[in-house]
């Protein structure tokens, strides 16, 4: 893999909480423009690695580089400004606000006008408002969210709240999108819709995606490459067909399905 292919490099990352080792010398690279899936049993360290990448956790050992820049000790808001966005296992939304307002919150890293411009609402502030509204409208159209745009998120069904969270991450216009079990708890129809939306993001916006997902049918269908973690260690890496046939992976994870 050449230097310009790797948008993200995780090098020998180890993370522990007291006496519990969550990650042990994990290394991998994410190619620009790919969908990389990270799979493994519960407790394998999948979410921990995403938390290290976007600055929620700071590993005791190892380094993480995004577009050649070391981000290992960088605050999470600074990492977001570089172009990394994510969703969470547990939905993190402003439940008292509408879906549309939650999407606008995702545009915060692109706000440039000062308080005076915003108060007077002319010139730069007005142009920014139009730009942000256009970005939101694009996502509402892409994700078929017109019917729920003005509804309070706290009253939406679970699957629709997951969709709003995905939309909020996408309106940040990330270079790298981290998705932590975006289809958890969904029915078959909702999963099919979510898989289609993820592929739309990848194809239409050329966004690099790292996906954690337990539904192996979905993973095998949409991932270009797969990394397998078990007990905090990387035990395999390859294409979907290679992973499906890997005896170590079958023993550690796929054989449990």
């Amino acid at each position: 893999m050449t230097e310009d292919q790797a948008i993200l490099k995780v090098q020998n990352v180890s993370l522990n909480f007291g006496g519990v080792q969550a990650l042990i010398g994990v290394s991998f690279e994410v190619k620009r423009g790919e969908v990389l899936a990270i799979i493994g049993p519960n407790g394998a360290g999948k979410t921990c690695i995403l938390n290290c990448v976007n600055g929620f956790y700071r590993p005791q050992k190892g380094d993480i580089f995004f577009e050649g820049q070391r981000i290992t000790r960088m605050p999470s808001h600074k990492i977001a400004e570089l172009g990394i966005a994510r969703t969470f296992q547990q939905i993190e939304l402003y439940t008292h606000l509408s879906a549309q307002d939650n999407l606008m919150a995702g545009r915060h890293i692109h706000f440039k006008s000062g308080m005076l411009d915003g108060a007077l609402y002319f010139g730069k502030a007005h142009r920014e408002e139009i730009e942000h509204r256009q970005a939101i409208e694009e996502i509402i159209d892409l994700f078929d969210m017109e019917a729920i745009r003005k509804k309070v998120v706290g009253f939406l069904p679970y699957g629709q709240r997951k969709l709003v969270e995905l939309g909020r991450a996408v309106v940040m216009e990330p270079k790298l999108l981290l998705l932590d079990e975006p289809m958890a708890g969904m029915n078959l129809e909702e999963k099919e819709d979510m898989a289609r939306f993820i592929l739309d993001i990848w194809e239409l916006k050329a966004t690099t995606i790292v996906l954690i997902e337990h539904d192996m049918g979905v993973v095998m269908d949409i991932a270009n490459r797969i990394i397998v973690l078990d007990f905090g260690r990387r035990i395999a890496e390859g294409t979907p067909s290679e992973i499906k046939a890997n005896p170590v992976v079958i023993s550690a994870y796929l054989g449990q399905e």
Side-chain angles (χ1 to χ4, degrees):
M1 186 182 303
T2 61
E3 188 71 26
D4 63 340
Q5 282 184 302
I7 191 171
L8 182 76
K9 292 186 177 184
V10 176
Q11 298 179 342
N12 199 35
V13 165
S14 294
L15 176 73
N16 62 73
F17 303 98
V20 178
Q21 290 188 299
L23 298 169
I24 307 167
V26 174
S27 296
F28 62 90
E29 296 184 357
V30 181
K31 300 176 184 177
R32 191 181 300 274
E34 76 172 334
V35 178
L36 174 72
I38 302 177
I39 67 171
N42 289 330
K46 303 183 297 297
T47 295
C48 287
I49 200 67
L50 294 196
N51 286 340
C52 289
V53 169
N54 82 319
F56 283 2
Y57 293 162
R58 295 188 175 180
Q60 284 80 22
K61 294 181 181 179
D63 272 313
I64 301 171
F65 295 88
F66 178 67
E67 294 191 317
Q69 181 174 352
R70 185 175 184 267
I71 62 172
T72 320
R73 304 294 173 188
M74 193 176 288
S76 57
H77 70 280
K78 292 292 185 182
I79 292 174
E81 290 172 2
L82 291 178
I84 298 178
R86 73 169 293 184
T87 64
F88 298 84
Q89 282 187 38
Q90 304 298 322
I91 300 172
E92 300 286 345
L93 292 170
Y94 299 108
T95 55
H96 61 291
L97 296 179
S98 68
Q100 181 174 280
D101 288 339
N102 269 273
L103 293 181
M104 180 60 83
R107 296 290 300 175
H108 71 281
I109 64 170
H110 298 291
F111 292 163
K112 298 181 180 66
S113 298
M115 292 182 63
L116 180 59
D117 289 334
L120 297 176
Y121 194 66
F122 68 90
K124 184 179 179 181
H126 183 59
R127 289 192 299 272
E128 268 198 31
E129 175 76 10
I130 293 173
E131 177 186 334
H132 296 320
R133 291 294 175 187
Q134 288 175 339
I136 288 171
E137 290 303 321
E138 180 183 352
I139 296 305
I140 289 174
D141 289 343
L142 183 63
F143 291 174
D144 299 329
M145 294 171 58
E146 180 62 36
I148 65 169
R149 65 184 303 155
K150 294 186 181 298
K151 293 186 177 180
V152 176
V153 163
F155 295 108
L156 292 177
Y158 177 82
Q160 291 181 341
R161 279 182 283 147
K162 295 282 278 189
L163 186 58
V164 173
E165 186 177 41
L166 176 63
R168 188 179 63 178
V170 175
V171 297
M172 292 174 64
E173 299 178 11
K175 300 173 185 175
L176 176 63
L177 180 60
L178 310 176
L179 303 179
D180 194 351
E181 298 193 29
M183 301 172 204
M186 289 185 167
N187 60 38
L188 180 59
E189 183 178 353
E190 290 171 334
K191 285 184 178 182
E192 290 175 348
D193 288 341
M194 183 64 79
R196 174 168 57 87
F197 293 140
I198 291 171
L199 286 174
D200 285 343
I201 296 164
W202 175 63
E203 292 174 351
L204 300 177
K205 295 184 172 294
T207 305
T208 305
I209 296 173
V210 176
L211 167 72
I212 293 175
E213 181 55 50
H214 281 289
D215 188 320
M216 286 301 98
V218 170
V219 169
M220 296 297 172
D221 283 345
I222 72 176
N224 305 121
R225 198 162 51 92
I226 299 172
I227 289 171
V228 187
L229 297 181
D230 191 29
F231 292 107
R233 298 182 186 273
R234 192 192 73 176
I235 62 170
E237 177 180 340
T239 64
S241 58
E242 290 170 342
I243 292 300
K244 190 183 297 186
N246 188 311
V248 175
V249 178
I250 293 171
S251 175
Y253 184 49
L254 297 182
Q256 299 175 6
E257 295 296 307

